[in-house]
Amino acid sequence: MKPTRPLRRRITLVASTAACALVLAACGSNDSGSQSGHGSPSEPASSPSARVPSGTHNAADVAFAKGMIPHHRQAVEMADLAASRAASPQVKELADKIKKAQDPEIRTMSGWLTAWGEQVPEEMPGMDHSAHSEMPGMKGMKEMDALRKKSGKDFDTSFLQMMVGHHQGAVKMAGTEQDKGAYDRAKTLAAGIIKAQNTEITQMNKMLGKD
């Protein structure tokens, strides 16, 4: 039995609608694939190269970032020890403050180096920073190992003494960046380091009973 003319018309209409739906679905799939292949529109703006214009830095800026990154990393490692070894709540609070300030600065300077086509300093295994021992304020492996073995008031005293020297080294490095650097954001960061760490040096000396 052949379908009636109205029935044939409805069958044709349904088939045509289904075909259109398949075409639209295929087009949508291709569009999404294209977006995933090239990244979202926000990615180029968030890349380090987009944030850091070329030709605005010099060798002093590169040296500052390459030196301050491992310098900050050691300070963060020392601050991490205080959480479980320090006896003084003030020392623990200071250590936490140091970590929260310097971790983001490490990421910022790493972004600059990447944008400039420079290598970001590798992280040393454990507490070994011997490759950077010539930098002002950096502590040797023996000093770091000795600090790690201490606890209580003995740790507090050693931590504060070591961190004072460490901060003084960072202030010196930041001063060199201010004098010789060209990149405005690096010079601004250097100024912030000088101000914050000089304030913390004064605080730590008071905690050590020094004027």
Side-chain angles (χ1 to χ4, degrees):
M1 177 178 177
K2 295 182 178 181
T4 63
R5 184 169 295 177
L7 181 58
R8 286 200 301 272
R9 188 178 294 114
R10 286 197 298 271
I11 293 172
T12 301
L13 180 61
V14 169
S16 177
T17 302
C20 288
L22 288 172
V23 170
L24 289 172
C27 290
S29 175
N30 289 337
D31 288 344
S32 63
S34 174
Q35 290 174 356
S36 63
H38 296 285
S40 64
S42 63
E43 284 178 354
S46 63
S47 67
S49 58
R51 293 197 303 269
V52 184
S54 60
T56 58
H57 69 282
N58 62 14
D61 298 316
V62 175
F64 169 69
K66 284 191 172 185
M68 196 61 78
I69 286 171
H71 204 276
H72 272 17
R73 283 174 179 161
Q74 188 176 67
V76 170
E77 289 174 0
M78 292 167 65
D80 280 338
L81 293 176
S84 59
R85 291 168 173 78
S88 167
Q90 289 78 19
V91 169
K92 290 184 178 182
E93 183 180 351
L94 174 64
D96 186 60
K97 180 181 177 182
I98 289 171
K99 183 176 180 179
K100 286 180 178 177
Q102 297 195 22
D103 261 337
E105 290 175 354
I106 291 170
R107 293 192 294 270
T108 295
M109 291 183 287
S110 297
W112 293 344
L113 290 174
T114 300
W116 296 335
E118 301 285 347
Q119 186 174 359
V120 177
E122 295 183 4
E123 292 197 49
M124 298 294 102
M127 292 188 174
D128 182 11
H129 292 275
S130 54
H132 308 287
S133 58
E134 76 286 353
M135 289 191 298
M138 285 292 284
K139 306 305 176 185
M141 192 69 176
K142 289 183 179 179
E143 291 175 287
M144 294 297 289
D145 282 341
L147 182 66
R148 185 171 50 190
K149 294 174 183 177
K150 295 180 179 181
S151 61
K153 291 183 178 181
D154 191 25
F155 174 89
D156 293 346
T157 300
S158 294
F159 173 83
L160 292 171
Q161 290 173 339
M162 289 174 65
M163 193 63 81
V164 166
H166 203 270
H167 272 23
Q168 289 170 338
V171 168
K172 183 176 181 179
M173 293 165 65
T176 300
E177 166 61 19
Q178 284 200 309
D179 291 340
K180 299 181 179 180
Y183 184 48
D184 286 342
R185 290 181 61 191
K187 290 166 76 74
T188 299
L189 176 60
I193 288 172
I194 291 171
K195 181 179 179 180
Q197 298 205 15
N198 272 332
T199 299
E200 289 172 354
I201 288 170
T202 300
Q203 178 185 356
M204 289 187 286
N205 279 329
K206 287 182 178 178
M207 294 168 73
L208 286 166
K210 300 177 181 180
D211 293 333

Coordinates of all heavy atoms in Angstrom, one line a residue, residues 86-173:
A86 N 59.5 27.0 65.2 CA 59.6 28.2 66.0 C 58.7 28.1 67.3 O 57.7 27.4 67.3 CB 59.1 29.4 65.2
A87 N 59.2 28.7 68.4 CA 58.4 28.7 69.6 C 57.6 30.0 69.7 O 56.5 30.0 70.3 CB 59.4 28.6 70.8
S88 N 58.2 31.1 69.2 CA 57.5 32.4 69.3 C 56.4 32.6 68.3 O 56.7 32.4 67.1 CB 58.6 33.5 69.1 OG 58.0 34.8 69.0
P89 N 55.2 33.0 68.7 CA 54.2 33.3 67.7 C 54.6 34.5 66.8 O 54.2 34.5 65.7 CB 53.0 33.7 68.6 CG 53.3 33.1 70.0 CD 54.8 33.1 70.1
Q90 N 55.4 35.4 67.3 CA 55.8 36.5 66.5 C 56.7 36.1 65.4 O 56.7 36.6 64.3 CB 56.6 37.6 67.4 CG 55.7 38.4 68.4 CD 55.3 37.6 69.6 OE1 55.9 36.5 69.9 NE2 54.2 38.0 70.3
V91 N 57.6 35.1 65.7 CA 58.5 34.6 64.7 C 57.7 33.8 63.6 O 57.9 34.0 62.4 CB 59.5 33.6 65.3 CG1 60.3 32.9 64.2 CG2 60.5 34.4 66.1
K92 N 56.7 33.1 64.0 CA 55.8 32.4 63.1 C 55.0 33.3 62.2 O 54.9 33.1 61.0 CB 54.9 31.4 63.8 CG 55.5 30.2 64.5 CD 54.5 29.3 65.1 CE 55.2 28.1 65.7 NZ 54.2 27.1 66.3
E93 N 54.6 34.4 62.8 CA 53.8 35.4 62.1 C 54.7 36.1 61.1 O 54.3 36.3 59.9 CB 53.2 36.4 63.0 CG 52.3 37.5 62.4 CD 51.8 38.5 63.4 OE1 51.9 38.3 64.6 OE2 51.2 39.5 62.9
L94 N 55.9 36.4 61.5 CA 56.8 37.1 60.6 C 57.2 36.2 59.4 O 57.2 36.6 58.2 CB 58.1 37.5 61.3 CG 59.3 38.1 60.5 CD1 58.8 39.4 59.8 CD2 60.5 38.2 61.3
A95 N 57.5 34.9 59.7 CA 57.8 33.9 58.7 C 56.7 33.8 57.6 O 56.9 33.7 56.4 CB 58.1 32.6 59.3
D96 N 55.5 33.8 58.1 CA 54.3 33.6 57.2 C 54.2 34.9 56.3 O 53.9 34.8 55.1 CB 53.0 33.5 58.1 CG 51.8 33.2 57.2 OD1 51.8 32.2 56.4 OD2 50.8 34.0 57.2
K97 N 54.5 36.0 56.9 CA 54.4 37.3 56.2 C 55.5 37.3 55.1 O 55.2 37.7 53.9 CB 54.6 38.5 57.1 CG 54.6 39.8 56.5 CD 54.9 40.9 57.5 CE 54.9 42.3 56.9 NZ 55.2 43.4 57.9
I98 N 56.7 36.8 55.4 CA 57.8 36.8 54.4 C 57.4 35.9 53.3 O 57.6 36.2 52.1 CB 59.1 36.3 55.1 CG1 59.6 37.4 56.0 CG2 60.1 35.9 54.1 CD1 60.7 36.9 56.9
K99 N 56.8 34.7 53.6 CA 56.5 33.8 52.5 C 55.4 34.3 51.6 O 55.4 34.2 50.4 CB 56.0 32.4 53.2 CG 55.6 31.4 52.2 CD 55.3 30.1 52.8 CE 54.9 29.0 51.8 NZ 54.6 27.7 52.4
K100 N 54.4 34.9 52.2 CA 53.3 35.5 51.4 C 53.7 36.6 50.5 O 53.1 36.9 49.5 CB 52.1 35.9 52.3 CG 51.3 34.8 52.9 CD 50.2 35.3 53.9 CE 49.4 34.1 54.4 NZ 48.4 34.6 55.4
A101 N 54.7 37.4 50.9 CA 55.2 38.5 50.1 C 56.2 38.0 49.0 O 56.1 38.5 47.9 CB 56.0 39.5 51.0
Q102 N 57.0 37.0 49.3 CA 58.1 36.6 48.4 C 57.7 35.6 47.4 O 58.2 35.6 46.2 CB 59.3 36.2 49.1 CG 59.9 37.4 50.0 CD 61.3 37.1 50.5 OE1 62.0 36.3 49.9 NE2 61.7 37.8 51.5
D103 N 56.7 34.7 47.7 CA 56.2 33.7 46.7 C 55.7 34.4 45.5 O 56.1 34.0 44.3 CB 55.2 32.8 47.3 CG 55.8 31.5 47.8 OD1 56.8 31.1 47.3 OD2 55.2 30.8 48.7
P104 N 54.8 35.4 45.6 CA 54.3 36.1 44.4 C 55.4 36.8 43.6 O 55.3 36.9 42.4 CB 53.2 37.0 44.9 CG 52.8 36.5 46.3 CD 54.1 35.9 46.8
E105 N 56.3 37.3 44.3 CA 57.4 38.1 43.7 C 58.3 37.1 42.8 O 58.8 37.5 41.7 CB 58.3 38.8 44.7 CG 57.6 40.0 45.3 CD 58.3 40.7 46.4 OE1 59.4 40.2 46.8 OE2 57.8 41.7 46.9
I106 N 58.5 35.9 43.3 CA 59.2 34.9 42.5 C 58.4 34.6 41.2 O 59.1 34.5 40.2 CB 59.3 33.6 43.3 CG1 60.3 33.8 44.5 CG2 59.8 32.4 42.5 CD1 60.3 32.6 45.5
R107 N 57.1 34.4 41.3 CA 56.3 34.2 40.1 C 56.4 35.4 39.1 O 56.5 35.2 37.9 CB 54.9 33.9 40.5 CG 54.7 32.5 41.2 CD 53.3 32.1 41.3 NE 52.5 33.1 42.1 CZ 52.3 32.9 43.4 NH1 52.9 31.9 44.1 NH2 51.5 33.8 44.1
T108 N 56.3 36.6 39.7 CA 56.4 37.8 38.8 C 57.7 37.8 38.1 O 57.8 38.0 36.9 CB 56.2 39.0 39.7 OG1 54.9 39.1 40.2 CG2 56.4 40.3 38.8
M109 N 58.8 37.7 38.8 CA 60.2 37.8 38.1 C 60.4 36.6 37.2 O 61.1 36.8 36.1 CB 61.2 37.8 39.2 CG 61.2 39.1 40.0 SD 62.6 39.3 41.2 CE 62.0 38.1 42.5
S110 N 59.9 35.5 37.5 CA 60.0 34.3 36.5 C 59.2 34.7 35.2 O 59.7 34.3 34.1 CB 59.4 33.1 37.2 OG 60.1 32.7 38.3
G111 N 58.1 35.3 35.3 CA 57.4 35.7 34.1 C 58.1 36.7 33.3 O 58.1 36.7 32.1
W112 N 58.8 37.7 34.0 CA 59.6 38.6 33.2 C 60.7 37.9 32.4 O 60.9 38.2 31.3 CB 60.3 39.6 34.2 CG 59.4 40.5 34.9 CD1 58.1 40.8 34.6 CD2 59.7 41.3 36.1 NE1 57.5 41.7 35.5 CE2 58.5 42.0 36.4 CE3 60.8 41.5 36.9 CZ2 58.4 42.9 37.5 CZ3 60.8 42.3 37.9 CH2 59.6 43.0 38.3
L113 N 61.5 37.0 33.1 CA 62.5 36.3 32.4 C 62.0 35.5 31.2 O 62.7 35.5 30.2 CB 63.3 35.4 33.4 CG 64.1 36.1 34.5 CD1 64.6 35.1 35.5 CD2 65.2 36.9 33.9
T114 N 60.9 34.8 31.4 CA 60.3 34.0 30.3 C 60.0 35.0 29.1 O 60.3 34.6 28.0 CB 59.1 33.3 30.8 OG1 59.4 32.4 31.8 CG2 58.5 32.5 29.6
A115 N 59.4 36.1 29.4 CA 59.0 37.1 28.4 C 60.2 37.6 27.7 O 60.2 37.9 26.5 CB 58.2 38.2 29.0
W116 N 61.3 37.8 28.4 CA 62.6 38.3 27.8 C 63.4 37.3 27.1 O 64.5 37.6 26.6 CB 63.4 39.0 28.9 CG 62.8 40.1 29.6 CD1 61.8 41.0 29.0 CD2 63.0 40.7 30.9 NE1 61.5 41.9 29.9 CE2 62.2 41.8 31.1 CE3 63.9 40.3 31.9 CZ2 62.2 42.5 32.3 CZ3 63.9 41.0 33.1 CH2 63.1 42.1 33.3
G117 N 62.9 36.0 27.1 CA 63.7 34.9 26.5 C 64.9 34.5 27.3 O 65.8 33.9 26.7
E118 N 64.8 34.7 28.6 CA 65.9 34.3 29.5 C 65.5 33.1 30.3 O 64.3 32.8 30.5 CB 66.2 35.5 30.5 CG 66.7 36.8 29.8 CD 68.1 36.7 29.3 OE1 68.8 35.7 29.6 OE2 68.5 37.6 28.5
Q119 N 66.5 32.3 30.7 CA 66.2 31.1 31.5 C 65.9 31.5 32.9 O 66.6 32.2 33.6 CB 67.4 30.2 31.4 CG 67.1 28.8 32.1 CD 68.3 27.9 31.9 OE1 69.3 28.2 31.2 NE2 68.2 26.7 32.5
V120 N 64.8 30.9 33.5 CA 64.5 31.0 34.9 C 65.4 30.1 35.7 O 65.6 28.9 35.3 CB 63.0 30.6 35.1 CG1 62.7 30.7 36.6 CG2 62.1 31.5 34.3
P121 N 66.1 30.6 36.7 CA 66.9 29.8 37.5 C 66.3 28.5 38.0 O 65.1 28.5 38.5 CB 67.3 30.7 38.7 CG 67.1 32.1 38.2 CD 66.0 32.0 37.3
E122 N 67.0 27.4 37.9 CA 66.4 26.1 38.4 C 66.4 26.1 39.9 O 67.2 26.6 40.5 CB 67.2 25.0 37.8 CG 67.2 24.8 36.3 CD 68.0 23.6 35.8 OE1 68.5 22.9 36.7 OE2 68.1 23.4 34.6
E123 N 65.4 25.4 40.4 CA 65.3 25.2 41.8 C 66.3 24.1 42.3 O 66.4 23.1 41.6 CB 63.9 24.7 42.2 CG 62.8 25.8 42.0 CD 61.6 25.5 42.8 OE1 61.6 25.2 44.0 OE2 60.5 25.7 42.2
M124 N 67.0 24.4 43.3 CA 68.0 23.5 43.8 C 67.4 22.4 44.7 O 66.4 22.7 45.3 CB 69.1 24.3 44.7 CG 69.9 25.3 43.9 SD 71.0 24.6 42.6 CE 70.0 25.0 41.1
P125 N 67.9 21.2 44.6 CA 67.3 20.1 45.4 C 67.5 20.4 46.9 O 68.6 20.8 47.3 CB 68.1 18.9 45.0 CG 69.4 19.4 44.4 CD 69.0 20.7 43.8
G126 N 66.5 20.1 47.7 CA 66.5 20.3 49.1 C 66.8 21.8 49.4 O 66.1 22.7 49.0
M127 N 67.8 22.0 50.2 CA 68.2 23.4 50.6 C 69.5 23.8 50.0 O 70.2 24.6 50.6 CB 68.2 23.5 52.1 CG 66.8 23.4 52.7 SD 66.9 23.8 54.5 CE 65.1 23.7 54.9
D128 N 70.0 23.1 49.0 CA 71.3 23.4 48.4 C 71.2 24.6 47.5 O 70.7 24.5 46.4 CB 71.7 22.1 47.6 CG 73.1 22.3 47.0 OD1 73.8 23.3 47.4 OD2 73.5 21.5 46.2
H129 N 71.8 25.7 48.0 CA 71.8 26.9 47.2 C 73.3 27.3 46.9 O 73.6 28.5 46.8 CB 71.1 28.1 47.9 CG 69.6 27.8 47.9 ND1 68.8 28.2 46.9 CD2 68.8 27.3 48.9 CE1 67.5 27.9 47.2 NE2 67.5 27.3 48.4
S130 N 74.2 26.3 46.9 CA 75.6 26.6 46.8 C 75.9 27.3 45.5 O 76.9 28.0 45.4 CB 76.4 25.3 46.9 OG 75.9 24.3 45.9
A131 N 75.1 27.1 44.4 CA 75.4 27.7 43.2 C 75.2 29.2 43.2 O 75.7 29.9 42.4 CB 74.5 27.1 42.1
H132 N 74.5 29.7 44.3 CA 74.2 31.1 44.4 C 74.9 31.7 45.7 O 74.5 32.7 46.1 CB 72.7 31.3 44.4 CG 72.0 30.7 43.3 ND1 72.1 31.2 42.0 CD2 71.2 29.6 43.2 CE1 71.3 30.4 41.2 NE2 70.8 29.5 41.9
S133 N 75.9 31.0 46.2 CA 76.4 31.4 47.5 C 77.1 32.7 47.5 O 77.4 33.3 48.5 CB 77.4 30.3 48.0 OG 78.4 30.1 47.1
E134 N 77.5 33.1 46.2 CA 78.2 34.4 46.1 C 77.3 35.6 46.3 O 77.8 36.8 46.5 CB 79.0 34.5 44.8 CG 78.1 34.8 43.6 CD 77.2 33.6 43.1 OE1 77.4 32.5 43.7 OE2 76.4 33.9 42.2
M135 N 76.0 35.4 46.3 CA 75.1 36.5 46.4 C 75.0 37.0 47.8 O 75.1 36.3 48.8 CB 73.7 36.1 45.9 CG 73.6 35.9 44.4 SD 71.9 35.8 43.8 CE 71.4 34.3 44.6
P136 N 74.8 38.4 48.0 CA 74.8 38.9 49.3 C 73.6 38.3 50.2 O 72.5 38.2 49.7 CB 74.5 40.4 49.1 CG 74.9 40.7 47.7 CD 74.7 39.4 47.0
G137 N 74.0 37.9 51.4 CA 73.0 37.4 52.3 C 72.6 35.9 52.2 O 72.0 35.3 53.1
M138 N 73.1 35.3 51.1 CA 72.7 33.8 50.9 C 73.4 33.0 51.9 O 74.6 33.2 52.3 CB 73.1 33.4 49.5 CG 72.1 33.9 48.4 SD 70.5 33.2 48.5 CE 70.7 31.6 47.8
K139 N 72.7 32.0 52.4 CA 73.3 31.1 53.4 C 73.8 29.8 52.8 O 73.2 29.3 51.8 CB 72.2 30.8 54.5 CG 71.6 32.0 55.1 CD 72.6 32.9 55.7 CE 72.1 34.2 56.2 NZ 73.1 35.2 56.7
G140 N 74.8 29.2 53.4 CA 75.4 28.0 52.8 C 74.6 26.8 53.3 O 73.7 26.8 54.1
M141 N 74.9 25.7 52.7 CA 74.3 24.4 53.0 C 74.4 24.0 54.5 O 73.5 23.6 55.1 CB 74.8 23.3 52.1 CG 74.0 22.0 52.1 SD 72.4 22.2 51.3 CE 71.8 20.5 51.4
K142 N 75.6 24.3 55.1 CA 75.8 23.9 56.5 C 74.9 24.8 57.4 O 74.3 24.2 58.4 CB 77.3 24.1 56.8 CG 78.2 23.1 56.2 CD 79.6 23.3 56.7 CE 80.6 22.3 56.1 NZ 82.0 22.5 56.6
E143 N 74.8 26.0 57.1 CA 73.9 26.9 57.9 C 72.4 26.5 57.8 O 71.7 26.5 58.8 CB 74.1 28.4 57.4 CG 75.4 29.0 57.7 CD 75.5 30.4 57.1 OE1 75.7 30.5 55.9 OE2 75.5 31.3 57.9
M144 N 72.0 26.1 56.6 CA 70.6 25.7 56.4 C 70.3 24.4 57.1 O 69.3 24.2 57.7 CB 70.3 25.6 54.9 CG 70.3 27.0 54.2 SD 69.1 28.2 54.8 CE 67.6 27.4 54.2
D145 N 71.3 23.5 57.0 CA 71.1 22.2 57.7 C 71.1 22.4 59.2 O 70.3 21.7 59.9 CB 72.3 21.2 57.3 CG 72.1 20.6 55.9 OD1 71.0 20.6 55.4 OD2 73.1 20.2 55.4
A146 N 71.9 23.3 59.7 CA 71.9 23.5 61.1 C 70.6 24.1 61.6 O 70.1 23.8 62.7 CB 73.1 24.4 61.5
L147 N 70.1 25.1 60.8 CA 68.8 25.7 61.2 C 67.7 24.6 61.2 O 66.8 24.6 62.0 CB 68.4 26.8 60.2 CG 67.2 27.6 60.4 CD1 67.2 28.4 61.7 CD2 66.8 28.5 59.3
R148 N 67.7 23.7 60.2 CA 66.7 22.7 60.1 C 66.6 21.8 61.3 O 65.6 21.2 61.7 CB 66.9 21.9 58.8 CG 65.8 20.9 58.5 CD 66.0 20.3 57.1 NE 67.3 19.9 56.9 CZ 67.8 19.5 55.7 NH1 67.0 19.6 54.6 NH2 69.1 19.1 55.5
K149 N 67.8 21.6 62.0 CA 67.9 20.7 63.1 C 67.5 21.4 64.4 O 67.4 20.7 65.5 CB 69.3 20.2 63.2 CG 69.7 19.3 62.0 CD 71.2 18.9 62.1 CE 71.6 18.0 60.9 NZ 73.0 17.7 60.9
K150 N 67.2 22.7 64.4 CA 66.9 23.4 65.6 C 65.4 23.5 65.8 O 64.6 23.3 64.9 CB 67.5 24.8 65.6 CG 69.1 24.7 65.6 CD 69.7 26.1 65.6 CE 71.2 26.0 65.7 NZ 71.8 27.4 65.7
S151 N 65.0 23.8 67.1 CA 63.6 24.0 67.4 C 63.5 24.9 68.6 O 64.5 25.1 69.3 CB 62.9 22.7 67.6 OG 63.5 22.0 68.7
G152 N 62.3 25.4 68.9 CA 62.1 26.2 70.1 C 62.8 27.6 70.0 O 63.0 28.2 68.9
K153 N 63.2 28.1 71.1 CA 63.9 29.4 71.2 C 65.2 29.4 70.5 O 65.6 30.4 70.0 CB 64.1 29.7 72.7 CG 62.8 30.0 73.4 CD 63.1 30.5 74.9 CE 61.8 30.8 75.6 NZ 62.0 31.2 77.0
D154 N 65.9 28.2 70.5 CA 67.1 28.1 69.8 C 66.9 28.4 68.3 O 67.7 29.1 67.6 CB 67.8 26.8 70.0 CG 69.2 26.7 69.5 OD1 69.9 27.7 69.4 OD2 69.6 25.6 69.2
F155 N 65.8 27.8 67.7 CA 65.5 28.1 66.3 C 65.2 29.5 66.1 O 65.6 30.2 65.1 CB 64.3 27.2 65.9 CG 63.8 27.5 64.5 CD1 64.4 26.9 63.4 CD2 62.8 28.5 64.3 CE1 63.9 27.2 62.1 CE2 62.4 28.8 63.0 CZ 62.9 28.1 61.9
D156 N 64.4 30.1 67.0 CA 63.9 31.5 66.9 C 65.1 32.4 66.7 O 65.2 33.3 65.8 CB 63.1 31.9 68.1 CG 61.8 31.2 68.2 OD1 61.4 30.6 67.2 OD2 61.1 31.3 69.2
T157 N 66.1 32.3 67.6 CA 67.3 33.1 67.6 C 68.1 33.0 66.3 O 68.4 34.0 65.6 CB 68.2 32.8 68.8 OG1 67.5 33.1 70.0 CG2 69.4 33.7 68.7
S158 N 68.3 31.7 65.9 CA 69.1 31.5 64.7 C 68.3 32.0 63.4 O 68.9 32.5 62.5 CB 69.4 30.0 64.5 OG 70.3 29.6 65.6
F159 N 67.0 31.7 63.4 CA 66.2 32.2 62.3 C 66.3 33.7 62.1 O 66.5 34.2 61.0 CB 64.7 31.7 62.5 CG 63.8 32.3 61.5 CD1 63.6 31.7 60.3 CD2 63.0 33.4 61.8 CE1 62.7 32.2 59.3 CE2 62.2 34.0 60.8 CZ 62.0 33.3 59.6
L160 N 66.1 34.4 63.2 CA 66.1 35.9 63.1 C 67.5 36.4 62.7 O 67.6 37.3 61.9 CB 65.7 36.4 64.5 CG 64.2 36.2 64.9 CD1 64.0 36.7 66.4 CD2 63.3 37.0 64.0
Q161 N 68.5 35.8 63.3 CA 69.9 36.3 62.9 C 70.2 36.0 61.5 O 70.7 36.9 60.8 CB 70.9 35.5 63.8 CG 70.9 36.0 65.3 CD 71.8 35.1 66.1 OE1 72.2 34.0 65.8 NE2 72.2 35.6 67.3
M162 N 69.8 34.8 61.0 CA 70.0 34.5 59.6 C 69.2 35.3 58.6 O 69.7 35.8 57.6 CB 69.8 33.0 59.4 CG 70.8 32.1 60.0 SD 70.4 30.3 59.8 CE 70.4 30.1 58.1
M163 N 68.0 35.6 59.0 CA 67.1 36.3 58.2 C 67.4 37.8 58.1 O 67.2 38.4 57.1 CB 65.6 36.2 58.6 CG 64.6 36.6 57.6 SD 64.6 35.7 56.0 CE 63.7 34.2 56.5
V164 N 68.0 38.3 59.2 CA 68.5 39.7 59.1 C 69.5 39.9 58.1 O 69.5 40.8 57.2 CB 69.0 40.2 60.5 CG1 69.8 41.5 60.4 CG2 67.9 40.4 61.5
G165 N 70.5 39.0 58.1 CA 71.6 39.0 57.1 C 71.1 38.8 55.7 O 71.5 39.4 54.7
H166 N 70.1 37.8 55.6 CA 69.5 37.5 54.3 C 68.8 38.8 53.7 O 68.9 39.1 52.6 CB 68.5 36.4 54.5 CG 68.3 35.6 53.2 ND1 67.3 35.9 52.4 CD2 68.9 34.5 52.7 CE1 67.3 35.1 51.3 NE2 68.2 34.2 51.5
H167 N 68.0 39.4 54.6 CA 67.3 40.6 54.1 C 68.3 41.7 53.7 O 68.0 42.5 52.8 CB 66.4 41.1 55.3 CG 65.0 40.5 55.3 ND1 64.8 39.3 54.7 CD2 63.9 41.0 55.8 CE1 63.5 39.0 54.9 NE2 62.9 40.0 55.5
Q168 N 69.4 41.9 54.5 CA 70.3 42.9 54.2 C 70.9 42.7 52.8 O 71.2 43.6 52.0 CB 71.4 42.9 55.2 CG 71.0 43.5 56.6 CD 72.0 43.3 57.7 OE1 72.8 42.4 57.6 NE2 71.9 44.1 58.8
G169 N 71.1 41.4 52.5 CA 71.6 41.1 51.1 C 70.6 41.4 50.0 O 71.0 42.0 49.0
A170 N 69.3 41.1 50.3 CA 68.3 41.5 49.3 C 68.2 43.0 49.1 O 68.0 43.4 48.0 CB 67.0 40.9 49.8
V171 N 68.3 43.7 50.2 CA 68.3 45.2 50.1 C 69.4 45.7 49.2 O 69.2 46.6 48.4 CB 68.3 45.8 51.5 CG1 68.5 47.3 51.4 CG2 67.0 45.5 52.2
K172 N 70.6 45.1 49.4 CA 71.7 45.5 48.6 C 71.5 45.2 47.1 O 71.8 46.1 46.2 CB 73.0 44.8 49.1 CG 74.2 45.2 48.3 CD 75.5 44.5 48.9 CE 76.7 45.0 48.2 NZ 77.9 44.3 48.8
M173 N 71.0 44.0 46.8 CA 70.7 43.7 45.4 C 69.6 44.6 44.8 O 69.7 45.0 43.6 CB 70.2 42.2 45.4 CG 71.3 41.2 45.8 SD 70.7 39.6 46.1 CE 70.0 39.1 44.5

